[in-house]
Structure formats: C-alpha cells, structure tokens
Amino acid sequence: MTDVGALFEQYYEPLVRMLYRRTGDRDRAEDLAQETFARAVEAPPYNPRPWLFAVALNLVREEGRRSVRRGRHLELIRGESPIGTPAPDEEYIREEDRARVKRALAELSDRDREALLLKAEGFNYDEIAATLGMARGAIGTTLVRARRKLVDAYRGEEKRHVAS
Amino acid sequence: MSHPDDGVLQELLDGELAPADEAVVRAHIAGCAPCTTALAELKATQMEAEAIVSRLDLDPPLPVRQARPARSARRDLRMLGLAASAVLVAGTSWLLFRSPDAAQRPAKADTASGIILPLPAPERQEVAATTPTAPPAAAQKALRVAPSAKGSGLAAKADRKDEGAAAANEKDVANGARQAMAPPPAAAQRLTADALAPGYTTVADAEARLGNKLRTIAGLTPVSVEVLPLTADSLLAVRQRYVVSGVPVVLVQQLSTDVHYYTGDLKVVPENRSGGGYVSGASEEVKPVIRTWEAWGSLFQLWGALPADSIDALMKRVR
C-alpha cells in the first residue's frame, strides 16, 4: 500500500512547482496540490508520479471549465485597508520577469504547455504520454513545438518591454 | 534513410530513441550538414526554453520537509483507511498536549486525522534536546488523550465531542504519539525587522519570530506556514494551511487586535465535486465556513469547506 506521506514528501514540491508554472498562481497551485493529495489518500495510486500529475492537471482543467470559478478576493476582517510598503527594486524586477514568463507560457496550448512543464520536472516520454494521455510518438514533436513557441513568445515579450 | 524529422531529432536529444534507432540517426547526421544544423538549432531552443521555464520558480520556496520516521508511517496506513470514509472525524488522532500557559507551547502529535505531513515534530524534538530546561511539573499534565486510531477512533463521529478532559493514560503516552517537549520561551522577544520578513517558514521558526505567541490547531501539523507581509506598522500575520480529512483549512493569525486589521487573500476553497468530494453526500457547492475571533491579543480567522460544527471543533483546538 502506498504511503501517502512518502509520496507527499517526494512529490509535493515538484507538483506545486509544476502547477504554479501551469496556472501562474502560487496559492492556487498549493490548493490544487493539496486537493490532489487528498484524492491520493482516498485511492492510493500504484504509479504515483504520473497519477498525481495527471489528477492535478485535470483539476486545473475542471476549474477552468466551471464558469463560476472564483478568483481571489480580499476580505477585511475589520477596519481600514493597509498601507502597502513599496517593493524594493530588485523584487520588482524579478516580479516583472516572472510575469513575462507567465505571459509567454500562456501563449502555448494547454497540452503543449503541460508537456513542457512535465519535462521540466524530469518526466521521460513514456511518463509524459501516460500522464497526458498522449501517444508516445507525439511527444517529441510536441516538445519541439512548445519550446519554439515559448522562446518566440518570451522574446516577443522582451521586445515589447524594451519598446514601451 | 531520409532526413529525420524534428520530433525524431528531439527524441535523440532527450535520449529517448531505442539504441538501434539512435545509431542509425547519428550515422545519418554525421554525414548530413542540414541535419547537423537542425540538431544544433533544436538544442539551442531547448536550452533557452529550459532557462525561461526555470525563471518561474517557487519564490519563496516551500518549507523544508523533515524525514518521516517508520513508526508514524504505520500509523498513517491506519489513518488512510479511516480517512477514506470522507467524514470529518474530530480528534481521532493521538492527541497529547500540555496545558498552555504563558511559558508553555503545546506539544504536537506528529499525526492527525487527515493527510497531515510531519513538519516540525522532529525539529521540536531537537529543540527540546538542546534546551534542557524542563517546564514546571504542574504544567506537564496531559490534557487529553484521544482513543487509538486502531480502536474506537472512527466511532467518534460528529456528535462525539472530545473536548472534555480525559485522564492521561500513561501507557498510551509511552506507546503512542511521539511527544515533543515545548521549548521554553526565548528571552526578550521583540519583533525586529527580521521577524517581519515575509515568506514561508516552519512552525518552530514562526514561533521564534512571534515570541512563542503562535497558535496552531492542536494535534495537526500545517502543510505550510507563511509569514505575511503587512503594513508598515510592524503588524505580523501568519497563515497556516492544513488539510483536514482531505479539505484545505486555513488559519490566519494577526498579532494584534488594534486598528489595522489583516486584509489578506482569502482563497475560496474549490467547490465540492460529486463522487469523491470532501463532504460525504454533498453534491452542491460547499461554501467555506469562516470563523473570526479574538484571543490572546491576536485576531484569528479560520476557514474551510467543512460543516460548521467541524470548523467550530477545529476552532476550539486552536491553542
């Protein structure tokens, strides 16, 4: 029987990272990862890594489909809104770059993006195919397309950024 | 052979070709200038794409996980069987904690009802080892010990409130949950600029920063602990995420009940899904139950997509 605790230790961080890159939203990534492991408790998987990542990616798609998906909201417990402290320059630049990467990733199709992100987590072609339900023979061309698109999109972002 | 297409070249780069195929392709490339160029271009694109993706990383990083000891792994196997019932069973875990007083922090069991993974329990033991001062004997009495998970734990359904103090069972203490002695309070706890640094951290670190004022849900280990950036007025808030019977639960503690209150992102918990959802039998949306209260000079907010009485039970366990 699978020890979910061991799975968690091994895969929580890669899963959150992949989900973060997939959705662009850190909090959402953590929530989805938690939900994924909740399901692993109910039905411990034999082949954990593809299973966990496939479930997680399905959850992303399901959430996207439901038009009532709620975004974040701020809620005041009481009293006034806070006075924000301005972020230091360094952090601002880092944040800008992250936003650029997110926008570039967003230009890929879901499938292409997911294949790329799974590869980034060390999945081999068989695992990517199993996780995404794709033919193994299609993975190579998918990755080529995804990478080219990403590089073009990111470079395009840079040009726009410089020009503005 | 004819020129291999980009997909095959990519497979070659990723080491995914069968050895025989790889030999053939390499032989072709060796004598083919366009293919050599194509391969080089693919390689360059791959490296650039990997660099771009890697710039999007978890920052701040997730807290470091501690290794799980074998003993709790066995206990977790029993927990897995129980958790599958998808009903929140309050307090079915080994709970052994001490009465909190000004100098004392509650000890935490390293397992809980649900998928809680050990974060600070081993750390806390280390801390206890290096800080030999024992808390006063009077404060050491265990408040309650929940029944064994193997035994009647699951019988404790929603009705059964385990809030009453039960006699400490010394045998259970010896056999059961690992107990961690709470570290004695650090001296001169001022909230310094470092203390206000936002980001993910551990329970022990958050406690140290908050001068041991940190409150947690007794018996559970948070999945993540995050110090939240707040106003310039040196307010501090900590957000802890738990998973209780498969449901995310969030506890936010703002270290002041003064004028400036915490405004944070309250992520609405995803809707319940039928056929394996969190709340047994529910098929429509489950809105989170939110509780807000003041205690110990802090402002607390606890929320999760659980029945109200479950959230209330968790609220009572915030120590």
Side-chain angles (χ1 to χ4, degrees):
Chain A
M1 190 176 184
T2 319
D3 179 354
V4 177
L7 282 188
F8 192 95
E9 275 156 31
Q10 200 174 354
Y11 296 122
Y12 183 70
E13 182 167 335
L15 192 62
V16 173
R17 181 171 47 239
M18 188 280 294
L19 284 169
Y20 171 53
R21 289 168 174 167
R22 172 66 178 85
T23 65
D25 182 335
R26 169 79 183 256
D27 276 353
R28 189 176 163 207
E30 288 204 53
D31 286 349
L32 287 169
Q34 287 187 359
E35 195 176 334
T36 303
F37 278 96
R39 284 151 196 259
V41 171
E42 291 169 22
Y46 281 112
N47 196 1
R49 188 159 75 153
W51 188 92
L52 288 169
F53 280 72
V55 166
L57 289 172
N58 281 334
L59 289 176
V60 173
R61 273 178 232 122
E62 272 180 40
E63 265 197 352
R65 264 206 297 273
R66 290 174 197 266
S67 55
V68 291
R69 187 186 101 74
R70 306 180 193 92
R72 293 184 179 198
H73 65 277
L74 287 179
E75 178 172 313
L76 280 171
I77 293 183
R78 238 181 294 175
E80 306 96 52
S81 32
I83 310 147
T85 50
D89 287 344
E90 243 181 58
E91 182 54 40
Y92 178 76
I93 291 169
R94 254 206 304 269
E95 206 38 63
E96 273 299 293
D97 187 51
R98 276 200 285 270
R100 199 171 310 140
V101 176
K102 286 183 199 175
R103 282 195 299 269
L105 277 170
E107 292 197 34
L108 275 56
S109 74
D110 285 352
R111 190 108 290 181
D112 286 357
R113 187 185 322 125
E114 288 168 7
L116 194 61
L117 297 182
L118 291 177
K119 190 79 179 71
E121 292 303 327
F123 281 51
N124 64 31
Y125 281 25
D126 284 326
E127 289 169 324
I128 297 176
T131 305
L132 297 181
M134 288 173 65
R136 190 201 179 283
I139 304 296
T141 45
T142 299
L143 288 174
V144 169
R145 182 175 58 243
R147 284 164 173 157
R148 284 196 179 129
K149 191 87 196 271
L150 179 69
V151 169
D152 285 346
Y154 186 79
R155 284 192 196 150
E157 288 282 334
E158 274 186 326
K159 286 201 206 92
R160 274 198 288 281
H161 179 75
V162 167
S164 59
Chain B
M1 62 176 282
S2 56
H3 303 288
D5 68 24
D6 285 345
V8 173
L9 291 179
Q10 188 61 62
E11 283 190 60
L12 176 69
L13 282 174
D14 288 330
E16 294 274 353
L17 283 177
D21 295 335
E22 181 171 338
V24 169
V25 172
R26 284 202 187 276
H28 170 92
I29 294 174
C32 175
C35 283
T36 305
T37 309
L39 190 70
E41 183 262 338
L42 281 182
K43 177 80 180 162
T45 305
Q46 175 175 347
M47 288 176 60
E48 195 171 344
E50 282 167 5
I52 293 170
V53 169
S54 69
R55 287 146 106 120
L56 197 58
D57 210 332
L58 297 175
D59 177 24
L62 289 173
V64 173
R65 308 266 155 200
Q66 300 284 338
R68 164 187 289 268
R71 189 155 59 104
S72 56
R74 281 202 295 281
R75 218 187 343 266
D76 254 24
L77 289 181
R78 291 202 293 273
M79 288 300 171
L80 288 176
L82 300 181
S85 69
V87 172
L88 174 68
V89 188
T92 54
S93 58
W94 287 97
L95 283 179
L96 185 65
F97 55 89
R98 309 193 185 294
S99 166
D101 61 18
Q104 211 47 34
R105 292 296 305 132
K108 307 227 182 327
D110 63 344
T111 58
S113 52
I115 336 155
I116 310 300
L117 279 308
L119 267 183
E123 281 174 41
R124 294 174 131 286
Q125 287 208 317
E126 283 167 27
V127 172
T130 57
T131 54
T133 322
Q140 284 193 36
K141 89 175 139 59
L143 267 193
R144 71 169 185 259
V145 173
S148 145
K150 190 173 71 151
S152 53
L154 219 143
K157 297 218 174 149
D159 324 321
R160 175 168 163 186
K161 304 292 181 199
D162 55 311
E163 294 306 322
N169 183 333
E170 288 308 317
K171 193 148 69 105
D172 287 340
V173 168
N175 296 340
R178 163 179 327 133
Q179 45 187 134
M181 295 270 292
Q189 286 290 328
R190 288 178 306 114
L191 290 183
T192 64
D194 285 340
L196 301 178
Y200 286 86
T201 181
T202 61
V203 169
D205 177 63
E207 278 183 0
R209 290 203 228 171
L210 272 62
N212 288 337
K213 293 194 186 67
L214 180 75
R215 302 292 162 166
T216 56
I217 304 180
L220 301 186
T221 305
V223 170
S224 72
V225 179
E226 193 188 354
V227 174
L228 296 167
L230 275 187
T231 72
D233 301 82
S234 304
L235 278 185
L236 200 57
V238 176
R239 171 165 61 194
Q240 301 172 55
R241 294 178 190 275
Y242 296 84
V243 177
V244 181
S245 288
V247 177
V249 169
V250 180
L251 174 68
V252 176
Q253 176 182 356
Q254 178 180 289
L255 231 74
S256 166
T257 58
D258 277 346
V259 176
H260 298 283
Y261 291 107
Y262 167 63
T263 63
D265 292 39
L266 283 191
K267 172 61 85 156
V268 178
V269 176
E271 302 158 7
N272 178 57
R273 297 169 219 295
S274 55
Y278 307 138
V279 179
S280 172
S283 59
E284 50 288 326
E285 294 178 10
V286 178
K287 294 185 177 14
V289 171
I290 304 178
R291 293 283 179 266
T292 307
W293 73 100
E294 282 183 33
W296 305 296
S298 285
L299 195 58
F300 292 90
Q301 195 162 71
L302 177 74
W303 59 275
L306 291 170
D309 55 357
S310 302
I311 293 289
D312 287 340
L314 287 174
M315 198 180 130
K316 290 189 187 115
R317 282 163 60 174
V318 172
R319 309 290 162 102

